[in-house]
mmCIF file of all heavy atoms in Angstrom:
data_model
loop_
_atom_site.group_PDB
_atom_site.id
_atom_site.type_symbol
_atom_site.label_atom_id
_atom_site.label_comp_id
_atom_site.label_asym_id
_atom_site.label_seq_id
_atom_site.Cartn_x
_atom_site.Cartn_y
_atom_site.Cartn_z
ATOM 1 N N MET A 1006 -1.073 -10.145 -21.180
ATOM 2 C CA MET A 1006 -1.523 -10.570 -19.860
ATOM 3 C C MET A 1006 -1.558 -9.391 -18.886
ATOM 4 O O MET A 1006 -2.484 -9.248 -18.078
ATOM 5 C CB MET A 1006 -0.593 -11.662 -19.327
ATOM 6 C CG MET A 1006 -1.025 -12.249 -17.994
ATOM 7 S SD MET A 1006 0.121 -13.523 -17.400
ATOM 8 C CE MET A 1006 1.405 -12.484 -16.708
ATOM 9 N N LEU A 1007 -0.554 -8.514 -18.963
ATOM 10 C CA LEU A 1007 -0.455 -7.396 -18.035
ATOM 11 C C LEU A 1007 -1.456 -6.277 -18.337
ATOM 12 O O LEU A 1007 -1.580 -5.337 -17.555
ATOM 13 C CB LEU A 1007 0.972 -6.837 -18.040
ATOM 14 C CG LEU A 1007 2.026 -7.761 -17.428
ATOM 15 C CD1 LEU A 1007 3.414 -7.184 -17.585
ATOM 16 C CD2 LEU A 1007 1.724 -8.013 -15.950
ATOM 17 N N ARG A 1008 -2.164 -6.392 -19.430
ATOM 18 C CA ARG A 1008 -3.212 -5.417 -19.712
ATOM 19 C C ARG A 1008 -4.532 -5.791 -19.033
ATOM 20 O O ARG A 1008 -5.481 -5.010 -19.052
ATOM 21 C CB ARG A 1008 -3.420 -5.290 -21.229
ATOM 22 C CG ARG A 1008 -2.305 -4.522 -21.927
ATOM 23 C CD ARG A 1008 -2.719 -4.099 -23.333
ATOM 24 N NE ARG A 1008 -2.841 -5.240 -24.236
ATOM 25 C CZ ARG A 1008 -1.851 -5.692 -24.995
ATOM 26 N NH1 ARG A 1008 -0.647 -5.122 -24.934
ATOM 27 N NH2 ARG A 1008 -2.041 -6.721 -25.799
ATOM 28 N N ARG A 1009 -4.576 -6.970 -18.441
ATOM 29 C CA ARG A 1009 -5.779 -7.440 -17.762
ATOM 30 C C ARG A 1009 -5.533 -7.488 -16.253
ATOM 31 O O ARG A 1009 -4.444 -7.877 -15.808
ATOM 32 C CB ARG A 1009 -6.157 -8.836 -18.237
ATOM 33 C CG ARG A 1009 -6.250 -8.990 -19.738
ATOM 34 C CD ARG A 1009 -7.481 -8.318 -20.302
ATOM 35 N NE ARG A 1009 -8.701 -9.003 -19.861
ATOM 36 C CZ ARG A 1009 -9.922 -8.640 -20.261
ATOM 37 N NH1 ARG A 1009 -10.064 -7.619 -21.085
ATOM 38 N NH2 ARG A 1009 -10.977 -9.304 -19.844
ATOM 39 N N PRO A 1010 -6.521 -7.105 -15.424
ATOM 40 C CA PRO A 1010 -6.339 -7.144 -13.975
ATOM 41 C C PRO A 1010 -5.887 -8.509 -13.459
ATOM 42 O O PRO A 1010 -4.976 -8.603 -12.639
ATOM 43 C CB PRO A 1010 -7.731 -6.761 -13.442
ATOM 44 C CG PRO A 1010 -8.310 -5.904 -14.515
ATOM 45 C CD PRO A 1010 -7.822 -6.513 -15.801
ATOM 46 N N ARG A 1011 -6.529 -9.575 -13.945
ATOM 47 C CA ARG A 1011 -6.148 -10.908 -13.461
ATOM 48 C C ARG A 1011 -4.713 -11.238 -13.859
ATOM 49 O O ARG A 1011 -3.985 -11.889 -13.108
ATOM 50 C CB ARG A 1011 -7.105 -11.965 -14.015
ATOM 51 C CG ARG A 1011 -8.493 -11.893 -13.406
ATOM 52 C CD ARG A 1011 -9.365 -13.053 -13.850
ATOM 53 N NE ARG A 1011 -10.685 -13.006 -13.226
ATOM 54 C CZ ARG A 1011 -11.599 -13.933 -13.358
ATOM 55 N NH1 ARG A 1011 -11.364 -14.999 -14.121
ATOM 56 N NH2 ARG A 1011 -12.766 -13.815 -12.758
ATOM 57 N N GLY A 1012 -4.306 -10.778 -15.031
ATOM 58 C CA GLY A 1012 -2.934 -11.018 -15.462
ATOM 59 C C GLY A 1012 -1.940 -10.292 -14.584
ATOM 60 O O GLY A 1012 -0.882 -10.840 -14.241
ATOM 61 N N ARG A 1013 -2.261 -9.059 -14.186
ATOM 62 C CA ARG A 1013 -1.362 -8.308 -13.304
ATOM 63 C C ARG A 1013 -1.280 -8.956 -11.931
ATOM 64 O O ARG A 1013 -0.215 -8.989 -11.308
ATOM 65 C CB ARG A 1013 -1.829 -6.858 -13.207
ATOM 66 C CG ARG A 1013 -1.584 -6.062 -14.478
ATOM 67 C CD ARG A 1013 -1.777 -4.583 -14.261
ATOM 68 N NE ARG A 1013 -3.164 -4.213 -14.049
ATOM 69 C CZ ARG A 1013 -4.028 -3.936 -15.016
ATOM 70 N NH1 ARG A 1013 -3.636 -4.001 -16.289
ATOM 71 N NH2 ARG A 1013 -5.266 -3.589 -14.746
ATOM 72 N N HIS A 1014 -2.417 -9.459 -11.442
ATOM 73 C CA HIS A 1014 -2.398 -10.164 -10.159
ATOM 74 C C HIS A 1014 -1.503 -11.405 -10.248
ATOM 75 O O HIS A 1014 -0.701 -11.676 -9.337
ATOM 76 C CB HIS A 1014 -3.816 -10.572 -9.753
ATOM 77 C CG HIS A 1014 -4.606 -9.466 -9.125
ATOM 78 N ND1 HIS A 1014 -4.336 -8.983 -7.871
ATOM 79 C CD2 HIS A 1014 -5.665 -8.744 -9.588
ATOM 80 C CE1 HIS A 1014 -5.200 -8.019 -7.577
ATOM 81 N NE2 HIS A 1014 -6.010 -7.852 -8.606
ATOM 82 N N LEU A 1015 -1.642 -12.157 -11.324
ATOM 83 C CA LEU A 1015 -0.842 -13.368 -11.483
ATOM 84 C C LEU A 1015 0.644 -13.032 -11.594
ATOM 85 O O LEU A 1015 1.484 -13.690 -10.969
ATOM 86 C CB LEU A 1015 -1.295 -14.146 -12.720
ATOM 87 C CG LEU A 1015 -0.515 -15.429 -13.038
ATOM 88 C CD1 LEU A 1015 -0.621 -16.412 -11.874
ATOM 89 C CD2 LEU A 1015 -1.023 -16.066 -14.323
ATOM 90 N N PHE A 1016 0.972 -11.999 -12.359
ATOM 91 C CA PHE A 1016 2.370 -11.588 -12.509
ATOM 92 C C PHE A 1016 2.940 -11.157 -11.156
ATOM 93 O O PHE A 1016 4.058 -11.527 -10.789
ATOM 94 C CB PHE A 1016 2.467 -10.444 -13.516
ATOM 95 C CG PHE A 1016 3.870 -10.120 -13.936
ATOM 96 C CD1 PHE A 1016 4.453 -10.764 -15.023
ATOM 97 C CD2 PHE A 1016 4.619 -9.169 -13.250
ATOM 98 C CE1 PHE A 1016 5.753 -10.472 -15.408
ATOM 99 C CE2 PHE A 1016 5.918 -8.872 -13.630
ATOM 100 C CZ PHE A 1016 6.483 -9.532 -14.717
ATOM 101 N N SER A 1017 2.164 -10.397 -10.401
ATOM 102 C CA SER A 1017 2.596 -9.959 -9.069
ATOM 103 C C SER A 1017 2.793 -11.145 -8.139
ATOM 104 O O SER A 1017 3.766 -11.207 -7.376
ATOM 105 C CB SER A 1017 1.549 -9.004 -8.475
ATOM 106 O OG SER A 1017 1.858 -8.676 -7.140
ATOM 107 N N PHE A 1018 1.885 -12.093 -8.214
ATOM 108 C CA PHE A 1018 1.962 -13.273 -7.357
ATOM 109 C C PHE A 1018 3.244 -14.066 -7.615
ATOM 110 O O PHE A 1018 3.946 -14.475 -6.692
ATOM 111 C CB PHE A 1018 0.732 -14.150 -7.608
ATOM 112 C CG PHE A 1018 0.715 -15.425 -6.822
ATOM 113 C CD1 PHE A 1018 0.407 -15.419 -5.478
ATOM 114 C CD2 PHE A 1018 1.007 -16.642 -7.427
ATOM 115 C CE1 PHE A 1018 0.386 -16.600 -4.745
ATOM 116 C CE2 PHE A 1018 0.985 -17.821 -6.703
ATOM 117 C CZ PHE A 1018 0.678 -17.798 -5.366
ATOM 118 N N VAL A 1019 3.565 -14.253 -8.893
ATOM 119 C CA VAL A 1019 4.745 -15.042 -9.251
ATOM 120 C C VAL A 1019 6.039 -14.263 -9.041
ATOM 121 O O VAL A 1019 7.018 -14.790 -8.506
ATOM 122 C CB VAL A 1019 4.640 -15.517 -10.715
ATOM 123 C CG1 VAL A 1019 5.920 -16.228 -11.146
ATOM 124 C CG2 VAL A 1019 3.435 -16.434 -10.889
ATOM 125 N N GLU A 1020 6.042 -12.987 -9.433
ATOM 126 C CA GLU A 1020 7.285 -12.217 -9.441
ATOM 127 C C GLU A 1020 7.529 -11.415 -8.167
ATOM 128 O O GLU A 1020 8.676 -11.157 -7.810
ATOM 129 C CB GLU A 1020 7.298 -11.263 -10.642
ATOM 130 C CG GLU A 1020 7.068 -11.940 -11.982
ATOM 131 C CD GLU A 1020 8.150 -12.955 -12.328
ATOM 132 O OE1 GLU A 1020 9.281 -12.838 -11.812
ATOM 133 O OE2 GLU A 1020 7.864 -13.886 -13.121
ATOM 134 N N ARG A 1021 6.456 -11.004 -7.483
ATOM 135 C CA ARG A 1021 6.600 -10.159 -6.297
ATOM 136 C C ARG A 1021 6.140 -10.841 -5.017
ATOM 137 O O ARG A 1021 6.164 -10.232 -3.951
ATOM 138 C CB ARG A 1021 5.817 -8.858 -6.486
ATOM 139 C CG ARG A 1021 6.212 -8.058 -7.737
ATOM 140 C CD ARG A 1021 7.535 -7.357 -7.573
ATOM 141 N NE ARG A 1021 7.956 -6.706 -8.803
ATOM 142 C CZ ARG A 1021 7.559 -5.505 -9.217
ATOM 143 N NH1 ARG A 1021 6.693 -4.820 -8.488
ATOM 144 N NH2 ARG A 1021 8.012 -4.998 -10.348
ATOM 145 N N GLY A 1022 5.698 -12.087 -5.129
ATOM 146 C CA GLY A 1022 5.361 -12.855 -3.939
ATOM 147 C C GLY A 1022 4.029 -12.554 -3.306
ATOM 148 O O GLY A 1022 3.758 -13.001 -2.185
ATOM 149 N N GLY A 1023 3.162 -11.785 -3.993
ATOM 150 C CA GLY A 1023 1.867 -11.466 -3.408
ATOM 151 C C GLY A 1023 0.832 -11.133 -4.454
ATOM 152 O O GLY A 1023 1.144 -10.548 -5.496
ATOM 153 N N TRP A 1024 -0.426 -11.512 -4.183
ATOM 154 C CA TRP A 1024 -1.514 -11.274 -5.119
ATOM 155 C C TRP A 1024 -1.885 -9.801 -5.209
ATOM 156 O O TRP A 1024 -2.293 -9.311 -6.249
ATOM 157 C CB TRP A 1024 -2.719 -12.093 -4.668
ATOM 158 C CG TRP A 1024 -3.759 -12.295 -5.719
ATOM 159 C CD1 TRP A 1024 -4.968 -11.672 -5.801
ATOM 160 C CD2 TRP A 1024 -3.701 -13.188 -6.834
ATOM 161 N NE1 TRP A 1024 -5.665 -12.113 -6.891
ATOM 162 C CE2 TRP A 1024 -4.906 -13.062 -7.552
ATOM 163 C CE3 TRP A 1024 -2.743 -14.092 -7.291
ATOM 164 C CZ2 TRP A 1024 -5.185 -13.786 -8.695
ATOM 165 C CZ3 TRP A 1024 -3.017 -14.823 -8.436
ATOM 166 C CH2 TRP A 1024 -4.216 -14.670 -9.122
ATOM 167 N N TYR A 1025 -1.731 -9.080 -4.084
ATOM 168 C CA TYR A 1025 -2.124 -7.680 -4.030
ATOM 169 C C TYR A 1025 -0.920 -6.772 -3.769
ATOM 170 O O TYR A 1025 0.053 -7.164 -3.129
ATOM 171 C CB TYR A 1025 -3.143 -7.439 -2.914
ATOM 172 C CG TYR A 1025 -4.419 -8.228 -3.058
ATOM 173 C CD1 TYR A 1025 -4.681 -9.306 -2.220
ATOM 174 C CD2 TYR A 1025 -5.362 -7.896 -4.022
ATOM 175 C CE1 TYR A 1025 -5.854 -10.033 -2.341
ATOM 176 C CE2 TYR A 1025 -6.537 -8.624 -4.151
ATOM 177 C CZ TYR A 1025 -6.775 -9.691 -3.314
ATOM 178 O OH TYR A 1025 -7.929 -10.410 -3.442
ATOM 179 N N ALA A 1026 -1.051 -5.524 -4.226
ATOM 180 C CA ALA A 1026 -0.107 -4.482 -3.850
ATOM 181 C C ALA A 1026 -0.590 -3.859 -2.540
ATOM 182 O O ALA A 1026 -1.771 -3.937 -2.211
ATOM 183 C CB ALA A 1026 -0.026 -3.425 -4.941
ATOM 184 N N ALA A 1027 0.319 -3.243 -1.786
ATOM 185 C CA ALA A 1027 -0.071 -2.612 -0.526
ATOM 186 C C ALA A 1027 0.404 -1.162 -0.482
ATOM 187 O O ALA A 1027 0.672 -0.622 0.592
ATOM 188 C CB ALA A 1027 0.495 -3.401 0.657
ATOM 189 N N ASP A 1028 0.483 -0.534 -1.652
ATOM 190 C CA ASP A 1028 0.917 0.864 -1.703
ATOM 191 C C ASP A 1028 -0.024 1.756 -0.899
ATOM 192 O O ASP A 1028 0.406 2.702 -0.237
ATOM 193 C CB ASP A 1028 0.969 1.350 -3.157
ATOM 194 C CG ASP A 1028 1.956 0.550 -4.002
ATOM 195 O OD1 ASP A 1028 2.863 -0.068 -3.415
ATOM 196 O OD2 ASP A 1028 1.807 0.539 -5.231
ATOM 197 N N ALA A 1029 -1.322 1.449 -0.954
ATOM 198 C CA ALA A 1029 -2.303 2.253 -0.227
ATOM 199 C C ALA A 1029 -2.090 2.157 1.283
ATOM 200 O O ALA A 1029 -2.361 3.114 2.020
ATOM 201 C CB ALA A 1029 -3.721 1.817 -0.583
ATOM 202 N N PHE A 1030 -1.602 1.009 1.749
ATOM 203 C CA PHE A 1030 -1.329 0.873 3.179
ATOM 204 C C PHE A 1030 -0.191 1.792 3.604
ATOM 205 O O PHE A 1030 -0.267 2.451 4.646
ATOM 206 C CB PHE A 1030 -0.973 -0.576 3.537
ATOM 207 C CG PHE A 1030 -0.465 -0.718 4.947
ATOM 208 C CD1 PHE A 1030 -1.342 -0.710 6.013
ATOM 209 C CD2 PHE A 1030 0.901 -0.812 5.207
ATOM 210 C CE1 PHE A 1030 -0.879 -0.809 7.323
ATOM 211 C CE2 PHE A 1030 1.374 -0.910 6.505
ATOM 212 C CZ PHE A 1030 0.476 -0.908 7.560
ATOM 213 N N VAL A 1031 0.876 1.838 2.815
ATOM 214 C CA VAL A 1031 2.015 2.697 3.138
ATOM 215 C C VAL A 1031 1.566 4.153 3.204
ATOM 216 O O VAL A 1031 1.949 4.900 4.114
ATOM 217 C CB VAL A 1031 3.149 2.515 2.105
ATOM 218 C CG1 VAL A 1031 4.267 3.522 2.336
ATOM 219 C CG2 VAL A 1031 3.697 1.094 2.164
ATOM 220 N N THR A 1032 0.728 4.561 2.249
ATOM 221 C CA THR A 1032 0.208 5.932 2.246
ATOM 222 C C THR A 1032 -0.652 6.197 3.476
ATOM 223 O O THR A 1032 -0.506 7.221 4.157
ATOM 224 C CB THR A 1032 -0.627 6.178 0.972
ATOM 225 O OG1 THR A 1032 0.209 5.996 -0.174
ATOM 226 C CG2 THR A 1032 -1.195 7.590 0.962
ATOM 227 N N TRP A 1033 -1.551 5.256 3.776
ATOM 228 C CA TRP A 1033 -2.447 5.411 4.938
ATOM 229 C C TRP A 1033 -1.662 5.498 6.237
ATOM 230 O O TRP A 1033 -1.905 6.380 7.067
ATOM 231 C CB TRP A 1033 -3.427 4.251 4.984
ATOM 232 C CG TRP A 1033 -4.304 4.229 6.206
ATOM 233 C CD1 TRP A 1033 -5.471 4.913 6.406
ATOM 234 C CD2 TRP A 1033 -4.066 3.478 7.416
ATOM 235 N NE1 TRP A 1033 -5.980 4.635 7.654
ATOM 236 C CE2 TRP A 1033 -5.140 3.766 8.290
ATOM 237 C CE3 TRP A 1033 -3.067 2.608 7.823
ATOM 238 C CZ2 TRP A 1033 -5.231 3.200 9.560
ATOM 239 C CZ3 TRP A 1033 -3.156 2.039 9.094
ATOM 240 C CH2 TRP A 1033 -4.228 2.338 9.951
ATOM 241 N N LEU A 1034 -0.702 4.596 6.440
ATOM 242 C CA LEU A 1034 0.063 4.592 7.685
ATOM 243 C C LEU A 1034 0.891 5.871 7.808
ATOM 244 O O LEU A 1034 0.995 6.442 8.904
ATOM 245 C CB LEU A 1034 0.971 3.366 7.742
ATOM 246 C CG LEU A 1034 1.813 3.234 9.023
ATOM 247 C CD1 LEU A 1034 0.914 3.130 10.254
ATOM 248 C CD2 LEU A 1034 2.742 2.022 8.942
ATOM 249 N N SER A 1035 1.468 6.323 6.710
ATOM 250 C CA SER A 1035 2.241 7.567 6.742
ATOM 251 C C SER A 1035 1.354 8.731 7.179
ATOM 252 O O SER A 1035 1.761 9.579 8.001
ATOM 253 C CB SER A 1035 2.857 7.853 5.369
ATOM 254 O OG SER A 1035 3.770 6.840 4.997
ATOM 255 N N GLU A 1036 0.142 8.782 6.647
ATOM 256 C CA GLU A 1036 -0.794 9.841 7.036
ATOM 257 C C GLU A 1036 -1.162 9.748 8.507
ATOM 258 O O GLU A 1036 -1.249 10.763 9.208
ATOM 259 C CB GLU A 1036 -2.055 9.750 6.178
ATOM 260 C CG GLU A 1036 -1.836 10.086 4.711
ATOM 261 C CD GLU A 1036 -3.050 9.815 3.847
ATOM 262 O OE1 GLU A 1036 -4.031 9.212 4.366
ATOM 263 O OE2 GLU A 1036 -3.026 10.176 2.662
ATOM 264 N N ARG A 1037 -1.355 8.528 8.987
ATOM 265 C CA ARG A 1037 -1.727 8.355 10.393
ATOM 266 C C ARG A 1037 -0.568 8.754 11.320
ATOM 267 O O ARG A 1037 -0.792 9.296 12.397
ATOM 268 C CB ARG A 1037 -2.139 6.904 10.663
ATOM 269 C CG ARG A 1037 -3.341 6.426 9.857
ATOM 270 C CD ARG A 1037 -4.682 6.944 10.354
ATOM 271 N NE ARG A 1037 -4.892 8.365 10.242
ATOM 272 C CZ ARG A 1037 -5.169 9.012 9.106
ATOM 273 N NH1 ARG A 1037 -5.243 8.357 7.958
ATOM 274 N NH2 ARG A 1037 -5.357 10.305 9.102
ATOM 275 N N LEU A 1038 0.641 8.458 10.931
ATOM 276 C CA LEU A 1038 1.797 8.789 11.767
ATOM 277 C C LEU A 1038 2.121 10.279 11.741
ATOM 278 O O LEU A 1038 2.884 10.760 12.575
ATOM 279 C CB LEU A 1038 3.021 7.985 11.332
ATOM 280 C CG LEU A 1038 2.972 6.478 11.604
ATOM 281 C CD1 LEU A 1038 4.249 5.796 11.135
ATOM 282 C CD2 LEU A 1038 2.756 6.199 13.093
ATOM 283 N N ASP A 1039 1.541 10.987 10.788
ATOM 284 C CA ASP A 1039 1.730 12.441 10.718
ATOM 285 C C ASP A 1039 0.510 13.208 11.212
ATOM 286 O O ASP A 1039 0.533 14.442 11.255
ATOM 287 C CB ASP A 1039 2.051 12.863 9.278
ATOM 288 C CG ASP A 1039 3.449 12.453 8.850
ATOM 289 O OD1 ASP A 1039 4.286 12.185 9.724
ATOM 290 O OD2 ASP A 1039 3.703 12.393 7.628
ATOM 291 N N ALA A 1040 -0.547 12.500 11.569
ATOM 292 C CA ALA A 1040 -1.786 13.159 11.993
ATOM 293 C C ALA A 1040 -1.591 13.858 13.331
ATOM 294 O O ALA A 1040 -0.927 13.343 14.240
ATOM 295 C CB ALA A 1040 -2.916 12.132 12.094
ATOM 296 N N THR A 1041 -2.173 15.026 13.463
ATOM 297 C CA THR A 1041 -2.104 15.775 14.711
ATOM 298 C C THR A 1041 -2.941 15.073 15.783
ATOM 299 O O THR A 1041 -4.053 14.626 15.521
ATOM 300 C CB THR A 1041 -2.627 17.211 14.509
ATOM 301 O OG1 THR A 1041 -1.841 17.845 13.500
ATOM 302 C CG2 THR A 1041 -2.542 18.014 15.793
ATOM 303 N N ALA A 1042 -2.392 14.965 16.978
ATOM 304 C CA ALA A 1042 -3.096 14.313 18.075
ATOM 305 C C ALA A 1042 -4.273 15.177 18.521
ATOM 306 O O ALA A 1042 -4.314 16.388 18.263
ATOM 307 C CB ALA A 1042 -2.140 14.085 19.240
ATOM 308 N N PRO A 1043 -5.277 14.568 19.188
ATOM 309 C CA PRO A 1043 -6.450 15.331 19.645
ATOM 310 C C PRO A 1043 -6.097 16.540 20.518
ATOM 311 O O PRO A 1043 -6.818 17.531 20.525
ATOM 312 C CB PRO A 1043 -7.247 14.290 20.439
ATOM 313 C CG PRO A 1043 -6.868 12.983 19.815
ATOM 314 C CD PRO A 1043 -5.425 13.134 19.447
ATOM 315 N N ASP A 1044 -4.974 16.465 21.246
ATOM 316 C CA ASP A 1044 -4.580 17.585 22.103
ATOM 317 C C ASP A 1044 -3.774 18.644 21.355
ATOM 318 O O ASP A 1044 -3.258 19.595 21.955
ATOM 319 C CB ASP A 1044 -3.780 17.086 23.308
ATOM 320 C CG ASP A 1044 -2.472 16.408 22.908
ATOM 321 O OD1 ASP A 1044 -2.153 16.343 21.698
ATOM 322 O OD2 ASP A 1044 -1.755 15.939 23.819
ATOM 323 N N GLY A 1045 -3.643 18.475 20.020
ATOM 324 C CA GLY A 1045 -2.921 19.448 19.215
ATOM 325 C C GLY A 1045 -1.453 19.142 19.028
ATOM 326 O O GLY A 1045 -0.750 19.865 18.307
ATOM 327 N N THR A 1046 -0.984 18.058 19.634
ATOM 328 C CA THR A 1046 0.419 17.688 19.508
ATOM 329 C C THR A 1046 0.740 17.237 18.083
ATOM 330 O O THR A 1046 0.002 16.442 17.498
ATOM 331 C CB THR A 1046 0.774 16.545 20.483
ATOM 332 O OG1 THR A 1046 0.471 16.948 21.815
ATOM 333 C CG2 THR A 1046 2.253 16.192 20.385
ATOM 334 N N SER A 1047 1.832 17.752 17.541
ATOM 335 C CA SER A 1047 2.246 17.366 16.191
ATOM 336 C C SER A 1047 3.038 16.072 16.256
ATOM 337 O O SER A 1047 3.931 15.919 17.099
ATOM 338 C CB SER A 1047 3.110 18.471 15.569
ATOM 339 O OG SER A 1047 3.603 18.071 14.312
ATOM 340 N N ARG A 1048 2.708 15.131 15.369
ATOM 341 C CA ARG A 1048 3.417 13.855 15.371
ATOM 342 C C ARG A 1048 4.580 13.872 14.381
ATOM 343 O O ARG A 1048 5.725 13.773 14.769
ATOM 344 C CB ARG A 1048 2.450 12.713 15.049
ATOM 345 C CG ARG A 1048 1.476 12.413 16.198
ATOM 346 C CD ARG A 1048 0.787 11.072 16.006
ATOM 347 N NE ARG A 1048 -0.015 10.707 17.167
ATOM 348 C CZ ARG A 1048 -1.333 10.808 17.238
ATOM 349 N NH1 ARG A 1048 -2.016 11.286 16.212
ATOM 350 N NH2 ARG A 1048 -1.985 10.452 18.330
ATOM 351 N N ALA A 1049 4.294 13.931 13.105
ATOM 352 C CA ALA A 1049 5.333 13.977 12.066
ATOM 353 C C ALA A 1049 6.346 12.840 12.220
ATOM 354 O O ALA A 1049 7.559 13.035 12.220
ATOM 355 C CB ALA A 1049 6.052 15.327 12.097
ATOM 356 N N TYR A 1050 5.833 11.603 12.336
ATOM 357 C CA TYR A 1050 6.690 10.440 12.546
ATOM 358 C C TYR A 1050 6.962 9.645 11.267
ATOM 359 O O TYR A 1050 7.820 8.758 11.271
ATOM 360 C CB TYR A 1050 6.038 9.481 13.547
ATOM 361 C CG TYR A 1050 5.824 10.042 14.940
ATOM 362 C CD1 TYR A 1050 4.685 9.711 15.673
ATOM 363 C CD2 TYR A 1050 6.759 10.884 15.525
ATOM 364 C CE1 TYR A 1050 4.479 10.200 16.951
ATOM 365 C CE2 TYR A 1050 6.556 11.387 16.818
ATOM 366 C CZ TYR A 1050 5.418 11.043 17.514
ATOM 367 O OH TYR A 1050 5.216 11.529 18.785
ATOM 368 N N SER A 1051 6.232 9.894 10.197
ATOM 369 C CA SER A 1051 6.258 8.982 9.052
ATOM 370 C C SER A 1051 7.629 8.855 8.398
ATOM 371 O O SER A 1051 7.955 7.803 7.846
ATOM 372 C CB SER A 1051 5.230 9.415 7.999
ATOM 373 O OG SER A 1051 5.627 10.626 7.375
ATOM 374 N N GLY A 1052 8.432 9.914 8.445
ATOM 375 C CA GLY A 1052 9.736 9.854 7.804
ATOM 376 C C GLY A 1052 10.851 9.381 8.709
ATOM 377 O O GLY A 1052 12.030 9.398 8.315
ATOM 378 N N MET A 1053 10.498 8.917 9.903
ATOM 379 C CA MET A 1053 11.514 8.562 10.888
ATOM 380 C C MET A 1053 11.972 7.118 10.768
ATOM 381 O O MET A 1053 11.216 6.232 10.379
ATOM 382 C CB MET A 1053 10.989 8.797 12.307
ATOM 383 C CG MET A 1053 10.780 10.250 12.651
ATOM 384 S SD MET A 1053 10.321 10.449 14.395
ATOM 385 C CE MET A 1053 10.223 12.236 14.507
#
C-alpha cells in the first residue's frame, strides 16, 4: 500500500491525522523569515 501514492495518503490520514504532508510549508516559511527586507535589513528569524 505504501508503494502507491493513494496508499501513502491513506496511511498518513489514519496514522498522522492528515491527508497531506506540509514539509514544503515549513521550508517556505523558514525561507521567508530569513529573507532580507527590501531596505537591506537582515531578518534571520526562522530559528527563533
Side-chain angles (χ1 to χ4, degrees):
M1006 184 181 80
L1007 291 175
R1008 286 195 291 268
R1009 308 287 293 183
R1011 289 187 178 185
R1013 288 192 290 273
H1014 279 289
L1015 178 60
F1016 191 89
S1017 174
F1018 178 76
V1019 175
E1020 306 298 336
R1021 304 285 175 83
W1024 198 255
Y1025 300 107
D1028 299 338
F1030 170 78
V1031 173
T1032 299
W1033 174 84
L1034 181 61
S1035 297
E1036 292 172 352
R1037 299 284 66 76
L1038 291 180
D1039 288 341
T1041 301
D1044 62 2
T1046 303
S1047 175
R1048 288 195 173 103
Y1050 298 143
S1051 70
M1053 292 186 178

